[in-house]
Amino acid sequence: QKEVEQNSGPLSVPEGAIASLNCTYSDRGSQSFFWYRQYSGKSPELIMFIYSNGDKEDGRFTAQLNKASQYVSLLIRDSQPSDSATYLCAVGADAGNNRKLIWGLGTSLAVNP
Amino acid sequence: KAGVTQTPRYLIKTRGQQVTLSCSPISGHRSVSWYQQTPGQGLQFLFEYFSETQRNKGNFPGRFSGRQFSNSRSEMNVSTLELGDSALYLCASAPDRGNIQYFGAGTRLSVL
């Protein structure tokens, strides 16, 4: 069974620090990787997506993908209290069925002022 | 461009009743996926529709069904509601190319 695993947290960091969120996946055939942010009581919101090995940066966010080790991470620089949320990792299933995303349970992040 | 619209936002039903939820995708998106989210189980995939056809299906009982119309709007139906069906139901649409999913605000269903 294809799985995506995340540390549930809570991960607590001080304001201004770097928050590091990790996600591992079981399916070596996975082609696409996503990070969503979900505030309490709200729906998930896409933050980053990455398809190739290496790093992808967007503002304060950096996604890192290592297919050989089957993990993807999200770094949040200069963390702000408004970053406090649950971060969901999603992995695209087989290339021939790439609409189906496998979701992790999420990591709760708390940024303390 | 308008986002994904889900109606209603909140629903209260009693056990044994049935419920229908609606989702209008982003204009031009033909793929619509439905998810159930509960605190302990996370996001659970229900099914995906594309051009009026169910393309993927999760592991939910037959009480959960869906359909998609020619304008890509989708409905999800749950029959014979159980207490455990209380959850946030999320709809997401995706463009034809790539598989980035965009979520609606969700429908919060409470079964009493």
Side-chain angles (χ1 to χ4, degrees):
Chain A
Q1 180 157 339
K2 297 168 186 174
E3 294 182 342
V4 173
E5 295 191 356
Q6 299 181 251
N7 188 323
S8 63
L11 173 65
S12 184
V13 301
E15 183 175 355
I18 296 176
S20 178
L21 305 162
N22 298 309
C23 170
T24 59
Y25 60 95
S26 62
D27 181 12
R28 283 197 173 275
S30 297
Q31 302 283 327
S32 54
F33 308 86
F34 305 87
W35 284 100
Y36 284 78
R37 176 177 62 199
Q38 187 174 25
Y39 292 113
S40 180
K42 303 294 185 183
S43 61
E45 170 193 14
L46 178 70
I47 298 177
M48 298 278 291
F49 61 91
I50 186 167
Y51 297 139
S52 305
N53 267 338
D55 296 1
K56 179 180 179 182
E57 188 174 315
D58 184 1
R60 296 187 296 113
F61 299 94
T62 299
Q64 298 176 321
L65 174 61
N66 185 322
K67 287 189 175 181
S69 301
Q70 293 178 241
Y71 80 80
V72 57
S73 61
L74 179 70
L75 301 178
I76 306 175
R77 290 181 300 281
D78 188 23
S79 295
Q80 301 297 308
S82 59
D83 295 326
S84 298
T86 295
Y87 289 80
L88 300 169
C89 173
V91 176
D94 304 327
N97 189 24
N98 63 9
R99 294 292 178 191
K100 192 171 180 178
L101 298 182
I102 311 298
W103 294 81
L105 293 180
T107 297
S108 175
L109 172 66
V111 180
N112 305 308
Chain B
K1 220 180 212 184
V4 179
T5 303
Q6 289 189 249
T7 56
R9 292 293 312 280
Y10 303 93
L11 265 178
I12 299 176
K13 294 286 187 180
T14 57
R15 278 183 302 172
Q17 288 188 308
Q18 75 165 19
V19 67
T20 299
L21 312 182
S22 179
C23 173
S24 293
I26 292 172
S27 178
H29 288 188
R30 293 188 288 174
S31 169
V32 174
S33 297
W34 287 91
Y35 293 89
Q36 180 194 69
Q37 188 175 37
T38 56
Q41 298 295 317
L43 271 173
Q44 299 289 309
F45 174 74
L46 282 152
F47 29 66
E48 184 222 356
Y49 285 87
F50 182 85
S51 287
E52 302 180 67
T53 301
Q54 188 180 84
R55 188 159 68 172
N56 285 300
K57 189 177 187 305
N59 298 319
F60 277 80
R63 300 185 297 107
F64 292 82
S65 63
R67 60 178 176 169
Q68 186 178 35
F69 302 95
S70 58
N71 62 356
S72 294
R73 188 177 71 86
S74 178
E75 288 182 346
M76 189 191 86
N77 184 275
V78 188
S79 63
T80 319
L81 283 166
E82 300 177 358
L83 295 179
D85 296 333
S86 295
L88 178 66
Y89 289 88
L90 291 161
C91 163
S93 75
D96 288 6
R97 308 194 87 176
N99 56 350
I100 296 174
Q101 296 194 3
Y102 299 90
F103 285 85
T107 295
R108 187 163 297 280
L109 172 65
S110 297
V111 181
L112 307 178

